[in-house]
Amino acid sequence: GIQVEQSPPDLILQEGANSTLRCNFSDSVNNLQWFHQNPWGQLINLFYIPSGTKQNGRLSATTVATERYSLLYISSSQTTDSGVYFCAVGNFNKFYFGSGTKLNVKP
Amino acid sequence: DGGITQSPKYLFRKEGQNVTLSCEQNLNHDAMYWYRQDPGQGLRLIYYSQIVNDFQKGDIAEGYSVSREKKESFPLTVTSAQKNPTAFYLCASSIWYLQETQYFGPGTRLLVL
């Protein structure tokens, strides 16, 4: 299967700071999504981004499919951004999640 | 409101017992998925269904079974053959299989007594 590596595994930020989360994957994909899992376990889709760049408020994401990586940018972080961020990739048959980046934003 | 519902929120299983987790969606999505999440880990695919009356095994299907008799429903049975069932189970759906965004339900936490 496709290997998905996320870095860093843990991240502690002061409120207002910016951060970059990285997702590397081992094979060509036609689906890539970023999710945020809140402390209660709910997964919220942030971006569907198999290639290119998208922005949504303080969040933006870039996927360079030819180099097999994606980046999630969080600007002006807030305490509500805390949780685990997952990258998930898929090809025509399967879908694979990384182990996540656990973000803790302190007030 | 459109969305995915899962029930129950918590489920307790006794030794040798089969239990069924419910997943319902009113998004009119063709594809549905079941994932398992262990503490500190990512999600792993158990089963998926691309269309009614069809489903396929994911990476960790042993000890689980599913059915897809209606478009909006995709129940998961955890059988007694699953020796380590304690986990967080998440159901998802998408318009078509592996296309566009997957939407997730709130999850069911299964604990073994």
Side-chain angles (χ1 to χ4, degrees):
Chain A
I2 303 174
Q3 306 301 312
V4 183
E5 295 181 0
Q6 291 187 244
S7 60
D10 294 280
L11 187 58
I12 301 174
L13 296 175
Q14 208 65 35
E15 197 168 27
N18 301 331
S19 62
T20 300
L21 282 57
R22 187 177 179 101
C23 171
N24 293 334
F25 45 96
S26 62
D27 204 348
S28 300
V29 299
N30 63 351
N31 186 318
L32 188 147
Q33 296 176 48
W34 283 97
F35 294 92
H36 174 227
Q37 188 170 39
N38 67 22
W40 298 271
Q42 178 72 55
L43 271 159
I44 304 297
N45 179 271
L46 301 174
F47 293 103
Y48 168 75
I49 188 167
S51 63
T53 296
K54 289 186 178 179
Q55 180 156 8
N56 184 4
R58 296 181 296 103
L59 302 181
S60 64
T62 294
T63 297
V64 183
T66 54
E67 297 187 21
R68 298 180 184 169
Y69 73 89
S70 183
L71 302 173
L72 177 69
Y73 305 96
I74 304 174
S75 64
S76 304
S77 58
Q78 301 174 358
T79 56
T80 52
D81 294 331
S82 296
V84 183
Y85 290 81
F86 288 105
C87 168
V89 303
N91 58 22
F92 291 101
N93 293 313
K94 293 285 180 68
F95 203 59
Y96 301 90
F97 278 74
S99 296
T101 291
K102 187 173 183 179
L103 175 62
N104 185 5
V105 181
K106 295 185 176 297
Chain B
D1 283 0
I4 301 176
T5 57
Q6 292 186 241
S7 63
K9 191 172 183 178
Y10 295 94
L11 187 57
F12 299 93
R13 194 191 93 164
K14 295 180 180 178
E15 198 75 31
Q17 187 181 38
N18 293 354
V19 292
T20 298
L21 285 60
S22 169
C23 176
E24 304 276 333
Q25 55 97 1
N26 61 5
L27 300 167
N28 200 32
H29 287 172
D30 280 313
M32 297 187 74
Y33 315 78
W34 273 107
Y35 292 92
R36 168 180 172 142
Q37 186 179 28
D38 293 288
Q41 308 276 328
L43 280 66
R44 292 182 291 168
L45 184 63
I46 304 172
Y47 268 98
Y48 63 92
S49 169
Q50 299 184 52
I51 199 167
V52 175
N53 292 323
D54 178 73
F55 49 83
Q56 305 293 329
K57 293 181 179 180
D59 294 319
I60 55 166
E62 185 174 349
Y64 300 97
S65 65
V66 294
S67 63
R68 186 86 186 277
E69 298 176 0
K70 298 186 294 183
K71 186 176 185 177
E72 59 270 23
S73 179
F74 191 40
L76 174 74
T77 297
V78 184
T79 74
S80 57
Q82 172 50 243
K83 298 306 179 188
N84 185 22
T86 296
F88 187 45
Y89 291 87
L90 288 150
C91 178
S93 72
S94 62
I95 295 175
W96 294 297
Y97 181 60
L98 287 186
Q99 299 302 308
E100 295 294 333
T101 301
Q102 288 192 30
Y103 296 89
F104 280 82
T108 293
R109 294 191 186 276
L110 176 60
L111 299 170
V112 177
L113 295 177

